[in-house]
Amino acid sequence: MSSRSPASRTGRPRSAAADAAILAATREALVELGWSRLTLGDVALRAGVAKTTLYRRWPGKNELVVDAVAELFDELELPDRGSLAADIEGVVLQFAEILARPEARSGLMAVVAESTLDASLRERIRTSVVERQKRLVREGRSRAQRRGELPPDPDPRAAERSVDLIFDVVAGAVVHRGLVSAGPVDGPWARDFTALLLAGLATPPSP
């Protein structure tokens, strides 16, 4: 799993406390000001750091907001509830709880909207959020295979395609439910969604 803070640079050592303060201040500013009014100067003031400290770490607002949102999703953990179905339900509900936070909703919707016209921002979202959280799918599949709930992977390339697809299905469904259709992501919904997902997982991926 990647580190939560952005990649370090040469020169003066990074301060984890400063990074945490800056990312927290970014999320606070997103909720209060929104994307369009948020500035790096405001974030620096809220975090109690010099603007030069912030600019040494992030080249611009896009990168800063993506990392602030990514830190929230790094809180996700795959629970061990004894079965694949229960594990999936648990992580789906965790994901929904994070999305329900005003700072997560504001930040995610803002960067996704901005990324439609910015290829570098889309790549930042992919590497900082999507690729990092695919760890949950890999962990869940491996655990279910050890339990005998899923067949072994027939081919590593097919398995990785399956990881990509499972992540897209889970993340897409929860984000759409929570942020687009505004329906509850509660226990009954998570159970129904998991049952639908498991019906597809019962078939091994094609090589």
Side-chain angles (χ1 to χ4, degrees):
M1 173 181 166
S2 301
S3 170
R4 295 184 184 184
S5 59
S8 59
R9 302 177 183 179
T10 58
R12 184 179 301 176
R14 294 290 296 267
S15 165
D19 285 350
I22 291 167
L23 294 176
T26 302
R27 293 189 291 268
E28 177 185 284
L30 273 170
V31 174
E32 293 183 16
L33 303 176
W35 171 274
S36 62
R37 293 172 56 204
L38 183 148
T39 67
L40 269 63
D42 180 75
V43 170
L45 183 63
R46 290 169 184 261
V49 301
K51 283 195 288 186
T52 52
T53 299
L54 194 150
Y55 281 108
R56 279 199 302 268
R57 289 158 162 75
W58 289 273
K61 182 167 76 172
N62 288 354
E63 295 81 6
L64 174 60
V65 173
V66 170
D67 285 350
V69 172
E71 188 176 56
L72 293 176
F73 294 117
D74 280 338
E75 297 176 15
L76 283 167
E77 294 181 356
L78 185 70
D80 189 347
R81 294 181 163 189
S83 72
L84 177 58
D87 292 353
I88 293 172
E89 289 174 25
V91 79
V92 162
L93 293 173
Q94 278 186 54
F95 185 25
E97 286 177 4
I98 291 175
L99 284 178
R101 300 183 196 176
E103 61 270 32
R105 289 200 307 270
S106 300
L108 185 61
M109 296 292 272
V111 295
V112 169
E114 289 293 317
S115 72
T116 60
L117 300 175
D118 187 336
S120 64
L121 180 56
R122 287 198 300 275
E123 178 63 12
R124 183 85 173 199
I125 294 169
R126 187 188 67 80
T127 57
S128 297
V129 180
V130 175
E131 291 302 323
R132 270 156 57 168
Q133 300 316 320
K134 285 180 183 177
R135 63 187 170 85
L136 299 167
V137 179
R138 295 186 183 96
E139 182 183 348
R141 282 173 60 86
S142 296
R143 184 188 293 167
Q145 287 168 340
R146 291 194 298 271
R147 290 175 180 149
E149 296 174 288
L150 290 178
D153 296 320
D155 177 80
R157 290 172 298 179
E160 194 57 27
R161 290 199 307 271
S162 181
V163 166
D164 292 343
L165 184 56
I166 293 166
F167 181 88
D168 289 345
V169 168
V170 174
V174 177
V175 168
H176 188 278
R177 177 74 171 177
L179 300 185
V180 180
S181 65
V185 181
D186 52 15
W189 186 90
R191 285 193 294 274
D192 290 345
F193 170 74
T194 299
L196 185 66
L197 180 64
L198 288 178
L201 286 175
T203 304
S206 59

